[in-house]
Amino acid sequence: MVETAGNYGKHRRVPYLVEEDGKLKTVYVPAMSGESLAHAYQEHLVREALSAGLPVCDDCQRGEFYKSMDEVHFAPKLFNREEVFESVLANLSEVVDITISVLSSEIEKERNKKKQNEDKIKELEKFRGFMENLVKSEKPRDYILKNLSLASQVFGNYVIKKGILDLPPVKIEDIIVKSCVVEDVGGFLYTGSAPIRRSSAFQVSYALPVKSVALFATSEPQLHARHAQMDASSKKGNASEQMIYYVETGTALYGFTFNLDLDAIGVSAITSKPILDENEIKKRREASLKALFRMLSSSQFGAKLSRFFPVGGITELIVAVTDHPFVVTSPIYDDYIEKTQRRLKVLKSFGEESFLVVAGEEKVPEEALKEAIDYLHEKEAF
Amino acid sequence: MKVQLRPTGIIALRALPQSKMRTALRYVPPTTLIGAISYPLLHISDDRGETIYEKKTFKSKAESVIGLFKWVTIKTEGRPKLYGSLLKINTIYRGKVQSAVTSFPFAVFYGESTNSLTAAYFVDEDALSESTYSAKDLERAAWGITRLGSRESIVSVEDVKMGKAVFREANKVRTAYAFPFKGVNVHGKGTLQAVVDWRLGIGDYSNAKRMVMFYPEETVEVEGGLSIVELDGEVVILAP
């Protein structure tokens, strides 16, 4: 699904370009975006990580993959783990004092304006009140966790943004990666004063109809009606609860590509050094592979699964494992298996080992995925 | 080094500066080609770095491999179509209802034609010999290009050819590869696109110098005082 316009739920589409009599014609075919597949993968990753006892931040646990996009979203990671709180906020009283003085001068500035913004002043006073209570509190971390939303705003917008806490990029990345498997594997873009970029260790293409049958793909609006009860006193045609609505459904044989860079997990995108110990890195790699297995075998991706769960399943699957980056030929091309096999042979000339497994008529996808995971296990990737 | 790429249908390249209504580039700029090869190349040397921090400035790690290349360009088969429907997004976040209209356009390389892309990397042999990489590393890195642009723009490398390039001067050539649109006369169809001049660094796009590139549809005839390279039976025009 792309969006709902009134009572019409639209399926995502992409143009398929056809040449007719020397002129280009566009046919719109149903598709799934890489973002949609990536979101589904990360939801599976949350579950796999939690079941393995690995850390996942609150936002990601809720399926809200904002990641540590700014100081306010990053701030909770300073409080959630005791060791981080103790080390980063060792001089808490000093931090609080500086913040209170910053807030006081902001309040003063606001009050001296010709046009006073009462809401802004109230908010600043609330922040200052929070900091004053924090310094009096016997258990400051507990007090922060009880008022997490407010604490995130004060620490995010003032303590971190104004540089009251000295947090170099390497330290911020370290805290984020240690706090959340999803941000480690799925990457993040922190837009603080020194931006921190961590590219996603996994990549997903759009799921598009396979080219040879793309023109047979359909996208149809299905009519539905929601009925409402009317009692004797109701006027006919006045039951607003009664409603017709349309949901577009797509039918196609889709193909998509998924890349996963296991070497990137738990490793700094600034220093190239491991942030986590080897044992934790291996656990996270295993969780990321299990999440992919679970996503594909359960068909839990895409929209409207509760009432429009697709009929069908995986018809073919190909998995390649290599030492350095390599991408299988996209399954939207008919010759993708043969092409991938030939391309992998080239890697041998670089003295590189590779592994390939194909699921089709003889092997089911789960067997192929398991073989790939077993191979990685043998190679001590996890 | 000639690298043949197959897209997975779409290539999302954002033109900067960004806004809520992001515009997309129709053709692959040279900066993207540098970024595309830097990831597998750095991977070979176990370098996972993405950002270089120098005091208060920060730039892309891809900058560290720029010196290896004298010139990069691309040949695009088929004419990509820019597509991005308008989306209205409604969310409830922390109790607040938010609504925005946006669009994530991209270039579509999806249809009956092959839509093949061929990247040409001209390697500076002296810079390569002084670096920690070998020609073999570069070739392996080329096989390892995973995407052009965003994480949705996955490509697979179908072929890599290495060879010695001979530079020469010419007044009139036919080419299918993108070239700088400066001091030349062009006969044929194509698209002009302003791109970041990667030779001056790709660390910061906001103030980067731009150059105009001509992306031919099929082949075009170009006249002028041209510096060219013959590559596997094809001609590539270099920057003046």
Side-chain angles (χ1 to χ4, degrees), chain A residues 333-371:
Chain A
Y333 304 98
D334 280 354
D335 59 352
Y336 77 103
I337 293 174
E338 180 209 338
K339 283 276 186 189
T340 304
Q341 285 167 332
R342 281 173 57 191
R343 294 168 51 234
L344 273 174
K345 279 178 190 161
V346 175
L347 296 194
K348 278 188 182 170
S349 65
F350 297 97
E352 199 174 318
E353 265 187 70
S354 63
F355 172 88
L356 180 76
V357 61
V358 180
E361 286 172 13
E362 289 175 15
K363 236 177 236 161
V364 295
E366 286 79 359
E367 286 169 337
L369 284 163
K370 189 179 179 301
E371 273 183 42

Side-chain angles (χ1 to χ4, degrees), chain A residues 42-54:
Chain A
Q42 288 176 122
E43 283 194 330
H44 287 279
L45 183 58
V46 168
R47 281 196 283 273
E48 291 301 332
L50 291 174
S51 66
L54 295 166

Side-chain angles (χ1 to χ4, degrees), chain A residues 103-119:
Chain A
L103 286 163
S104 299
S105 67
E106 291 249 337
I107 292 166
E108 200 58 36
K109 253 189 231 166
E110 284 295 326
R111 283 203 177 121
N112 290 336
K113 280 182 182 171
K114 277 184 183 174
K115 245 189 167 181
Q116 283 192 10
N117 183 341
E118 286 301 323
D119 289 345

Side-chain angles (χ1 to χ4, degrees), chain A residues 52-330:
Chain A
L54 295 166
V56 179
C57 74
D58 291 348
D59 277 348
C60 290
Q61 279 191 45
R62 283 195 300 271
E64 294 176 346
F65 301 117
Y66 296 101
K67 317 277 183 70
S68 300
M69 63 180 187
D70 56 25
E71 292 90 341
V72 174
H73 284 83
F74 164 68
K77 293 179 175 72
L78 297 178
F79 321 129
N80 284 338
R81 288 161 57 235
E82 197 165 354
E83 65 271 27
V84 175
F85 183 83
E86 295 297 336
S87 68
V88 174
L89 292 161
N91 302 326
L92 184 64
S93 58
E94 192 186 322
V95 167
V96 170
D97 286 347
I98 298 168
T99 312
I100 287 173
S101 83
V102 168
L103 286 163
S104 299
S105 67
E106 291 249 337
I107 292 166
E108 200 58 36
K109 253 189 231 166
E110 284 295 326
R111 283 203 177 121
N112 290 336
K113 280 182 182 171
K114 277 184 183 174
K115 245 189 167 181
Q116 283 192 10
N117 183 341
E118 286 301 323
D119 289 345
K120 175 87 176 163
I121 293 168
K122 269 184 194 166
E123 188 184 54
L124 290 166
E125 282 175 339
K126 194 164 80 172
F127 289 167
R128 188 170 62 181
F130 169 81
M131 289 309 245
E132 284 164 350
N133 291 335
L134 177 61
V135 83
K136 290 175 201 160
S137 164
E138 281 179 22
K139 292 184 174 174
R141 184 166 165 259
D142 289 357
Y143 180 74
I144 285 172
L145 292 174
K146 269 182 200 163
N147 301 278
L148 191 58
S149 177
L150 185 58
S152 301
Q153 289 180 63
V154 183
F155 274 81
N157 288 321
Y158 292 92
V159 179
I160 303 167
K161 205 176 259 187
K162 305 266 183 201
I164 295 165
L165 261 185
D166 180 33
L167 288 170
V170 173
K171 182 70 183 168
I172 293 175
E173 186 201 34
D174 181 275
I175 291 167
I176 295 169
V177 169
K178 281 179 178 167
S179 302
C180 186
V181 171
V182 177
E183 290 176 74
D184 176 8
V185 178
F188 60 84
L189 181 62
Y190 173 81
T191 55
S193 54
I196 302 159
R197 172 199 169 120
R198 183 177 177 82
S199 282
S200 174
F202 75 92
Q203 301 161 356
V204 203
S205 73
Y206 263 54
L208 299 174
V210 169
K211 282 174 101 172
S212 56
V213 290
L215 291 173
F216 298 101
T218 61
S219 189
E220 275 294 310
Q222 306 289 347
L223 170 70
H224 297 271
R226 189 179 60 199
H227 296 287
Q229 279 192 335
M230 288 166 54
D231 56 31
S233 64
S234 300
K235 282 183 186 170
K236 196 178 174 186
N238 201 23
S240 60
E241 299 85 359
Q242 188 150 318
M243 176 88 178
I244 59 166
Y245 62 99
Y246 297 88
V247 177
E248 273 189 355
T249 54
T251 300
L253 177 63
Y254 297 99
F256 72 90
T257 310
F258 184 101
N259 297 332
L260 179 58
D261 182 351
L262 291 170
D263 282 346
I265 296 171
V267 175
S268 170
I270 300 169
T271 65
S272 300
K273 292 188 173 80
I275 289 172
L276 310 160
D277 64 52
E278 201 182 343
N279 188 38
E280 171 126 7
I281 287 176
K282 285 183 173 182
K283 275 187 180 176
R284 290 185 179 202
R285 285 176 182 168
E286 188 176 8
S288 61
L289 287 162
K290 278 183 173 176
L292 177 60
F293 185 106
R294 187 84 61 194
M295 170 180 146
L296 295 175
S297 64
S298 65
S299 297
Q300 291 295 304
F301 53 84
K304 289 193 166 288
L305 296 180
S306 60
R307 295 294 180 272
F308 293 84
F309 191 76
V311 176
I314 300 169
T315 56
E316 282 179 352
L317 179 136
I318 183 168
V319 187
V321 183
T322 56
D323 291 342
H324 294 300
F326 176 85
V327 183
V328 299
T329 300
S330 170

